[in-house]
Amino acid sequence: MQCRRRENSGWKIFWALRDGLTSGVGAIKFASLLSTVRINKIYSTMFHFAIVLWFFTFLGEAGSVDLSAIDKWLHIDLPTILLNIDPANVYNCDETGVSWRELGNKTLLIGNEEVRGTKLVKDRFTSMLTCSGTGDMLPVKIVAFSEVPRSYRRNGWLEVNVEKHSFHYFHNKTAWVTKATFGPWLDWLNELTIKQGRHIILLADNFAAYQVGSRSNVKLVFLPPNTTSRLQPLDAGIIKSFKDYFKQNMAKATANAILQKKSANEFSKSIEIYDATLWCLEGAKSVKKSTILNCFRRCGIGGSSEIVDDPVDTVTGDELENTLTSDELEALESVDEMLRFDEDDHTVLV
């Protein structure tokens, strides 16, 4: 009888957690259960009956999607918008923040080694990616704080323009995409399509900075609110792949710095926005065409929504290891500074 009470208590606690402590009812239920059952009994009960609890971090926006809006978009709105439209003329744009000095906050230690944390690095800029339904990617757009960063000038980039440097550069006091930076970029895209003699559709979310109106050859179409995690191709894996490659480039640079007897903290302070820009451009070039195509298909654009050929590509630890030389790998295995590439969340850990 006593065992049965333990079993019931353990299961009640398990389901209280499983149903979600984020709700008020779930939290109250869990608290009341804890007040009547001793912790050691909970552990023994869960262990005895193989009840597994896990810690989960809520990420992304998938839990807030409007399913009815998604269904309407996929079966009514999108087919109407794409009627007689070539997938090559369907584009999607979206921005993402890039923390270009953030190497991570985890490391590997041996024995009784001790290490202290350092001040959180907040240097960042915004990258905006634009892709088409046929797998093409337009030049990256970067929004930073400085009009012309000093590291740009030192490397001969006195005036950045897309024709010469293959990326767009804007600046403002927030380093975020605003109407003042999106409007001129949209004008450039409109001029490009006029020269090419075509009209395109540009899909975007409902971010206020995008509310600048369509152009003669570029029609802005906004996705329904609270649906971008399901309906926006860039959110389906393209940005994720881009950031993985960016971090891979940063990891290789860190390995080279360790070879030169620098600590990871010293290297982080020496990184300049010029270096991060190169990693960003290389990361955008590295995103596979198959990744872009699959993400568009997943969102109902460009044919079947089924994933074909390659899945969405991400950079794993094994792939990173294959790109490093033997000297770089030896440097990564040094005792005082070690670099690890996490295969679960694809982040560089230093």
Side-chain angles (χ1 to χ4, degrees):
M1 193 68 178
Q2 188 176 5
C3 291
R4 181 174 298 177
R5 285 198 297 271
R6 288 183 179 180
E7 178 184 0
N8 291 339
S9 299
W11 277 106
K12 286 179 181 178
I13 292 169
F14 170 75
W15 288 116
L17 284 168
R18 182 65 180 85
D19 291 341
L21 292 176
T22 54
S23 65
V25 175
I28 294 172
K29 183 179 179 182
F30 181 62
S32 64
L33 286 168
L34 285 182
S35 65
T36 59
V37 182
R38 292 210 310 267
I39 297 298
N40 61 340
K41 288 186 178 181
I42 296 173
Y43 285 151
S44 62
T45 299
M46 291 190 294
F47 206 57
H48 182 71
F49 291 98
I51 300 174
V52 179
L53 300 179
W54 62 94
F55 184 81
F56 180 77
T57 302
F58 292 96
L59 299 173
E61 304 171 358
S64 302
V65 297
D66 186 339
L67 297 180
S68 60
I70 290 176
D71 185 69
K72 180 177 180 294
W73 172 265
L74 291 176
H75 296 96
I76 300 176
D77 298 338
L78 187 61
T80 302
I81 294 170
L82 300 183
L83 186 64
N84 299 323
I85 299 293
D86 191 325
N89 293 326
V90 180
Y91 284 79
N92 176 220
C93 69
D94 195 21
E95 78 286 342
T96 182
V98 177
S99 298
W100 49 274
R101 273 186 178 161
E102 183 56 61
L103 296 181
N105 58 2
K106 299 178 183 178
T107 189
L108 298 176
L109 298 177
I110 295 178
N112 295 322
E113 278 189 294
E114 294 184 2
V115 64
R116 295 183 178 181
T118 57
K119 188 176 180 180
L120 182 65
V121 181
K122 299 181 180 179
D123 301 84
R124 63 166 180 84
F125 57 68
T126 300
S127 293
M128 191 177 83
L129 306 181
T130 309
C131 304
S132 75
T134 51
D136 298 319
M137 183 177 289
L138 294 180
V140 176
K141 171 184 172 180
I142 292 177
V143 184
F145 293 100
S146 304
E147 182 176 358
V148 181
R150 287 192 293 269
S151 60
Y152 279 15
R153 295 194 188 98
R154 283 196 295 269
N155 289 277
W157 293 3
L158 302 180
E159 184 178 350
V160 180
N161 60 75
V162 65
E163 289 77 17
K164 184 176 181 181
H165 301 98
S166 301
F167 75 98
H168 300 269
Y169 182 83
F170 294 88
H171 73 281
N172 56 39
K173 62 181 180 180
T174 61
W176 289 114
V177 175
T178 62
K179 289 183 179 180
T181 63
F182 185 73
W185 175 85
L186 193 62
D187 292 334
W188 169 86
L189 180 58
N190 189 57
E191 292 177 4
L192 178 65
T193 55
I194 291 174
K195 292 178 182 178
Q196 296 172 343
R198 61 187 182 130
H199 291 74
I200 68 170
I201 290 175
L202 181 61
L203 299 175
D205 56 34
N206 286 272
F207 183 35
Y210 299 156
Q211 310 292 331
V212 297
S214 298
R215 300 299 192 260
S216 61
N217 287 41
V218 180
K219 181 180 179 181
L220 271 172
V221 176
F222 298 104
L223 296 167
N226 300 322
T227 61
T228 54
S229 61
R230 296 281 190 91
L231 300 179
Q232 181 154 251
L234 279 159
D235 283 341
I238 299 172
I239 288 179
K240 179 67 169 64
S241 179
F242 160 73
K243 284 197 166 184
D244 283 347
Y245 283 114
F246 176 87
K247 292 170 184 175
Q248 183 191 57
N249 295 329
M250 179 183 286
K252 293 180 67 176
T254 307
N256 287 327
I258 293 174
L259 269 177
Q260 299 170 13
K261 307 302 181 182
K262 289 183 179 180
S263 69
N265 189 41
E266 290 173 338
F267 171 69
S268 174
K269 294 178 180 179
S270 69
I271 298 175
E272 297 181 325
I273 192 172
Y274 173 80
D275 306 313
T277 300
L278 295 180
W279 299 339
C280 181
L281 299 181
E282 185 62 32
K285 291 179 182 177
S286 299
V287 177
K288 296 178 183 177
K289 186 174 183 178
S290 61
T291 299
I292 300 175
L293 290 173
N294 284 334
C295 289
F296 269 82
R297 289 192 186 101
R298 182 177 293 172
C299 297
I301 303 171
S304 171
S305 61
E306 296 182 359
I307 305 302
V308 297
D309 297 326
D310 300 332
V312 175
D313 64 299
T314 54
V315 182
T316 65
D318 291 338
E319 291 175 348
L320 173 61
E321 184 174 329
N322 292 334
T323 66
L324 300 176
T325 65
S326 58
D327 289 338
E328 290 170 339
L329 287 173
E330 184 178 350
L332 294 184
E333 295 170 357
S334 62
V335 175
D336 55 307
E337 285 292 344
M338 301 190 73
L339 178 68
R340 182 161 64 86
F341 201 90
D342 193 317
E343 296 186 11
D344 294 326
D345 61 7
H346 304 285
T347 55
V348 179
L349 307 177
V350 176

